[in-house]
Amino acid sequence: MPFFRCYKGKTEHERGRTEWGMAAIPEGPLHGGPAGAAELGAQLRAAVAEMARWMSEYGDFAPHPSQDVDMAALRQATEELRTRLRDNYPFFHPRYAGQMLKPPHPAAVLGYVTTMLVNPNNHALDGGPATAAMEKDVVAQLAAMFGFDQHLGHLTSSGTIANLEALFVARESHPGKSVAYSADAHYTHARMCHLLGVDGIAVPTTADGTMDPRALEELLRTGTIGTVVATAGTTGLGAIDPIHDIVALARNHGARIHVDAAYGGFFRLIADDRADGVAAAPFTAIAECDSVVIDPHKHGLQPYGCGTVLFRDPGVAKHFLHDSPYTYFTSDELHLGEISLECSRAGASAAALWLTLRLLPLTPDGLGAVLRACRRAALDWAGRIDGCEQLTLYQRPQLDILGYYPTRERLSEIDRASAHVLTRGMHLPPAQALFVATYTVDAAELAARGHRVRADLDRGRILRSVLMKPETEQHVPALHQQVLDLLADAGEGQPSSIDG
Ligand SMILES: *Cc1c(COP(=O)(O)O)cnc(C)c1O
């Protein structure tokens, strides 16, 4: 009985769901995670029925036998799929406090699957007018969140492609000039500069892993920099470059400013300097920058395949102009493919984001409440680490990513103990397993942050936890204790057998 269950003593039958597509409104909310699985199943079933009804308006036709699959074979193959999918980490669970991974919101799943049945292509209005309109709508919402008074932008299949587009426009508008990004910026900036044939220059960071404005100024004085990339939330530790200072410096030297907010962009919703918010100044300064990238598939509750690039000057469209004889024909209205480097893109991505934002809007009380819980989790855990001797905070979290390490004298011991927590934690039985990540630091980075560690290795691993699920907040005391327990059974100073 996959989709039928009792809800407060009533079956779905009693709640009027016997007819395909008649999804009665249940009394409770639609939860994320396994708690919401039955309701999501019912909603999906209704969505499939509704879309089939729309299709049938065009008249019945016989399906071609070449695409028919045998039901027994289907059952076997899907069983195999589910078995293979068990080879995964439980990204959905609060005890997964590792990398930047979590499942999409069920509303996004519903929006995606419903739309995928039609499979519109947002490259052109002819490929899907409804989802192209939804894309323009969500892009406008994101632009408004950043305070852009006008904009040009679109969704992309990832943050990498979105950054590539921003750097492409940077190159076209400042030909022959270089691009500067911080040494801790995402690695794809160097790669994309290489791809574009542009010189990319890494600017040194200060002790907290943010771009050093003095080093940037020195570089800008050479007159060779056409664009500065500021990162709002580095992928490693969530460090936020001082965008408010960078804007003034770059403007003085006639350089463009692009903000890579792929990870941190949605924290704009809680950039209010409050105790459980994040710093306002760098986020409000994004409104003055030339372009920004934000990934709805990171903190926007979306499945992979959803990045965004926004330009403040709609005039940059001239860099994308092209004419193809086979795509655009329905109207003089803007086709999204005319302003993007990619061609085919899933209209389902736009629909999923549109539906999600209808329910959890870009406001402090809407999606902002999710980010605030993540932020509180990071602050709470940082406080616990500060208050215990066994662990040391690597640096203060600016968002919801923690860097911390087992307190030891030597870097080799820190590395070994961190690897032990990582490996031992994930090999516990599922009902107890703990998932953290590691982050590699060098002796100079430790010293810059005032850590007195004997550098008997050039580089070593510390612990890193991305706390991007709001549920984590309730689990911080237990997570902290579990890291301590794993350390206690490491055997002080003893090499652990499992991590060699
Ligand atoms: C994740 C990330 C990227 C790359 O985005 P993808 O969507 O993974 O391609 C770029 N910059 C930053 C800061 C990121 O966190």
Side-chain angles (χ1 to χ4, degrees):
M1 41 158 267
F3 299 134
F4 289 91
R5 63 177 179 141
C6 283
Y7 193 91
K8 292 195 178 160
K10 290 183 198 159
T11 64
E12 285 181 355
H13 178 84
E14 289 162 324
R15 291 161 61 218
R17 278 202 198 158
T18 45
E19 200 191 332
W20 281 87
M22 290 294 285
I25 297 171
E27 293 110 90
L30 174 59
H31 296 295
E39 193 54 51
L40 176 60
Q43 296 291 330
L44 286 170
R45 186 191 179 104
V48 171
E50 277 298 334
M51 296 316 287
R53 195 168 294 170
W54 169 72
M55 290 174 194
S56 70
E57 286 171 23
Y58 288 82
D60 284 342
F61 60 95
H64 195 273
S66 63
Q67 300 192 106
D68 288 348
V69 298
D70 177 67
M71 283 310 287
L74 177 70
R75 196 173 315 118
Q76 202 182 349
T78 51
E79 244 174 59
E80 193 182 325
L81 171 70
R82 288 190 296 266
T83 304
R84 294 185 75 141
L85 287 177
R86 295 183 73 88
D87 181 18
N88 251 311
Y89 303 105
F91 310 125
F92 64 94
H93 200 277
R95 264 184 289 102
Y96 183 89
Q99 310 278 4
M100 242 169 224
L101 291 154
K102 65 171 179 178
H105 191 279
V109 175
L110 187 59
Y112 202 103
V113 173
T114 307
T115 311
M116 191 171 58
L117 297 168
V118 185
N119 205 23
N121 184 335
N122 272 17
H123 168 61
L125 289 172
D126 317 292
T131 47
M134 286 181 216
E135 176 162 334
K136 289 176 190 170
D137 184 340
V138 292
V139 164
Q141 291 179 53
L142 290 167
M145 176 178 80
F146 286 120
F148 280 15
D149 39 16
Q150 48 173 5
H151 71 275
L152 182 84
H154 59 90
L155 301 181
T156 61
S157 53
S158 71
T160 299
I161 297 298
N163 277 315
L164 171 65
E165 295 210 10
L167 294 183
F168 161 71
V169 167
R171 185 193 72 182
E172 297 302 291
S173 45
H174 289 72
K177 297 273 178 110
S178 307
V179 171
Y181 40 76
S182 101
D184 280 7
H186 198 271
Y187 72 91
T188 50
H189 290 290
R191 178 183 284 177
M192 293 305 155
C193 281
H194 181 60
L195 184 70
L196 290 164
V198 171
D199 274 339
I201 300 173
V203 182
T205 54
T206 57
D208 61 358
T210 61
M211 186 185 280
D212 181 353
R214 274 186 303 187
L216 175 65
E217 186 165 24
E218 226 170 274
L219 192 60
L220 284 165
R221 280 214 208 95
T222 64
T224 58
I225 304 298
T227 300
V228 179
V229 176
T231 303
T234 56
T235 315
L237 295 169
I240 303 164
D241 286 344
I243 303 170
H244 44 299
D245 297 332
I246 292 171
V247 168
L249 288 174
R251 291 283 178 245
N252 277 345
H253 293 88
R256 276 178 78 79
I257 306 125
H258 168 61
V259 179
D260 181 358
Y263 185 74
F266 287 100
F267 283 91
R268 177 68 184 83
L269 299 171
I270 61 162
D272 54 12
D273 288 329
R274 275 164 50 179
D276 59 357
V278 300
F283 282 98
T284 46
I286 295 176
E288 298 162 54
C289 298
D290 298 290
S291 55
V292 58
V293 157
I294 178 169
D295 263 359
H297 70 202
K298 280 185 180 154
H299 253 306
L301 310 174
Q302 300 307 296
Y304 287 118
C306 196
T308 318
V309 62
L310 301 165
F311 297 97
R312 201 161 57 112
D313 172 17
V316 302
K318 66 173 185 278
H319 300 304
F320 291 91
L321 284 185
H322 70 106
D323 199 11
S324 84
Y326 42 80
T327 43
Y328 317 120
F329 52 82
T330 44
S331 72
D332 294 333
E333 248 190 277
L334 176 73
H335 293 264
L336 290 160
E338 287 175 280
I339 52 156
S340 95
L341 294 182
E342 290 176 276
C343 184
S344 295
R345 275 190 303 105
S349 281
L353 182 56
W354 180 86
L355 188 67
T356 307
L357 296 185
R358 285 270 295 170
L359 299 159
L360 294 167
L362 296 174
T363 58
D365 295 335
L367 186 61
V370 174
L371 290 135
R372 214 180 276 285
C374 299
R375 175 69 179 147
R376 279 194 304 257
L379 290 169
D380 180 11
W381 200 347
R384 285 166 200 273
I385 292 168
D386 273 342
C388 86
E389 286 180 356
Q390 299 96 312
L391 291 170
T392 304
L393 199 60
Y394 178 65
Q395 66 177 43
R396 295 267 121 233
Q398 288 184 288
L399 297 177
D400 58 355
I401 304 176
L402 282 186
Y404 53 109
Y405 63 87
T407 313
R408 301 284 189 275
E409 246 173 62
R410 298 159 207 266
L411 186 50
S412 62
E413 294 165 340
I414 291 174
D415 179 82
R416 196 183 305 132
S418 299
H420 171 84
V421 173
L422 175 85
T423 317
R424 189 66 65 86
M426 67 193 246
H427 286 115
L428 290 170
Q432 290 132 43
L434 175 74
F435 300 85
V436 295
T438 55
Y439 180 75
T440 305
V441 299
D442 62 28
E445 288 166 326
L446 281 162
R449 288 162 177 80
H451 299 295
R452 295 155 66 97
V453 169
R454 287 227 335 248
D456 58 344
L457 295 178
D458 289 341
R459 302 166 70 72
R461 285 163 292 178
I462 63 168
L463 295 169
R464 168 174 173 262
S465 282
V466 181
L467 308 181
M468 67 188 306
K469 294 183 294 284
E471 291 85 4
T472 302
E473 190 184 2
Q474 301 304 317
H475 294 260
V476 164
L479 292 170
H480 178 68
Q481 188 57 48
Q482 213 181 343
V483 172
L484 296 183
D485 292 347
L486 283 163
L487 275 175
D489 93 348
E492 192 59 45
Q494 294 300 305
S496 122
S497 56
I498 55 168
D499 55 56

